[in-house]
């Protein structure tokens, strides 16, 4: 089974775009360990290579974070630790600041927490209980009683906009998100 997994991954990895040296080294080390009969080391290397691929995928998700609106600044946040805390997958986030206002936008994709929250977004009663349901750019969102904006894109990408900024500012940021692009991610 493990040999099948390793063999199945090789054509995919070889036909994909050129990856960082760490990724290639990890895959080669996994093959060497496997051929030497060290299954434990092979699995560790394959797991490490998978982590590197997730990081590359998360960098792609980061591209969907909107630029800072006029008068605001943007600082990208590290998502790797948050991804581990939320069951893996990809996480991208940025903090936006203007004067004493702060807004944080976070995307969480393809992880266990998003899957669990998917039920809430598919149930009108639960969505209504979470806050005010509305559409922004044809995307269904919930504006919570705390003024946060939450949305589920394509049933697998959670968008959360939080912080001390006004709800109108959060909605303006949501309007800048490329929802179509996120659906294709």
């Amino acid at each position: 089974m493990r040999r099948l997994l390793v063999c199945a991954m090789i054509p995919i990895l070889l036909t994909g775009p050129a990856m960082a040296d760490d990724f290639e080294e990890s895959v080669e080390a996994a093959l060497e360990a496997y051929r030497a009969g060290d299954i434990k080391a092979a699995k560790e290397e394959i797991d490490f290579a998978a982590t590197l691929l997730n990081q590359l995928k998360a960098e792609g998700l980061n591209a969907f974070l909107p630029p800072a609106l006029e008068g605001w600044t943007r600082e990208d946040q590290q998502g790797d630790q948050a991804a581990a805390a939320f069951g893996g997958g990809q996480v991208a986030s940025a903090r936006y600041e203007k004067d004493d206002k702060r807004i944080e936008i976070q995307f969480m994709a393809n992880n266990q927490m998003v899957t669990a929250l998917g039920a809430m977004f598919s149930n009108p009663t639960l969505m209504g209980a979470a806050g005010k349901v509305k559409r922004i750019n044809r995307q269904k969102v919930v504006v919570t009683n705390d003024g946060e904006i939450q949305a589920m894109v394509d049933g697998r990408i959670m968008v959360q906009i939080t912080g001390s900024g006004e709800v109108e500012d959060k909605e303006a940021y949501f309007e800048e998100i490329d929802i179509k692009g996120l659906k294709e991610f």
Side-chain angles (χ1 to χ4, degrees), residues 34-97:
Y34 175 78
R35 290 179 183 133
D38 189 349
I39 302 302
K40 180 181 178 198
K43 180 171 180 350
E44 287 174 4
E45 290 295 338
I46 290 294
D47 289 346
F48 182 69
T51 299
L52 294 174
L53 286 177
N54 273 334
Q55 287 176 342
L56 288 173
K57 184 83 170 167
E59 288 172 14
L61 185 61
N62 200 50
F64 292 101
L65 290 163
L69 296 175
E70 189 172 328
W72 291 76
T73 61
R74 172 181 158 174
E75 178 184 339
D76 290 345
Q77 306 292 300
Q78 292 287 18
D80 295 342
Q81 295 167 343
F86 292 117
Q90 296 84 37
V91 175
S93 63
R95 178 180 304 166
Y96 303 82
E97 294 183 356

Side-chain angles (χ1 to χ4, degrees), residues 22-44:
D22 288 342
F23 174 78
E24 290 178 4
E25 288 174 12
S26 185
V27 171
E28 289 172 12
L31 288 171
E32 289 174 18
Y34 175 78
R35 290 179 183 133
D38 189 349
I39 302 302
K40 180 181 178 198
K43 180 171 180 350
E44 287 174 4

Side-chain angles (χ1 to χ4, degrees), residues 34-171:
Y34 175 78
R35 290 179 183 133
D38 189 349
I39 302 302
K40 180 181 178 198
K43 180 171 180 350
E44 287 174 4
E45 290 295 338
I46 290 294
D47 289 346
F48 182 69
T51 299
L52 294 174
L53 286 177
N54 273 334
Q55 287 176 342
L56 288 173
K57 184 83 170 167
E59 288 172 14
L61 185 61
N62 200 50
F64 292 101
L65 290 163
L69 296 175
E70 189 172 328
W72 291 76
T73 61
R74 172 181 158 174
E75 178 184 339
D76 290 345
Q77 306 292 300
Q78 292 287 18
D80 295 342
Q81 295 167 343
F86 292 117
Q90 296 84 37
V91 175
S93 63
R95 178 180 304 166
Y96 303 82
E97 294 183 356
K98 178 181 180 182
D99 301 325
D100 62 340
K101 294 190 260 182
R102 178 186 45 80
I103 291 177
E104 294 180 20
I105 301 175
Q106 183 175 67
F107 300 147
M108 292 183 286
N110 306 315
N111 69 40
Q112 297 168 357
M113 183 177 151
V114 171
T115 302
L117 290 172
M120 180 188 92
F121 283 91
S122 64
N123 184 319
T125 304
L126 291 175
M127 280 190 71
K132 181 180 178 185
V133 179
K134 62 188 295 185
R135 288 197 186 272
I136 301 176
N137 285 349
R138 301 182 49 103
Q139 176 67 43
K140 185 171 38 174
V141 303
V142 174
V143 180
T144 69
N145 297 330
D146 295 333
E148 296 181 359
I149 295 178
Q150 300 176 350
M152 184 69 68
V153 176
D154 199 34
R156 61 188 178 79
I157 302 172
M158 177 79 172
V159 176
Q160 291 184 300
I161 303 179
T162 61
S164 61
E166 301 296 325
V167 171
E168 293 80 14
D169 293 328
K170 294 172 188 171
E171 289 176 352

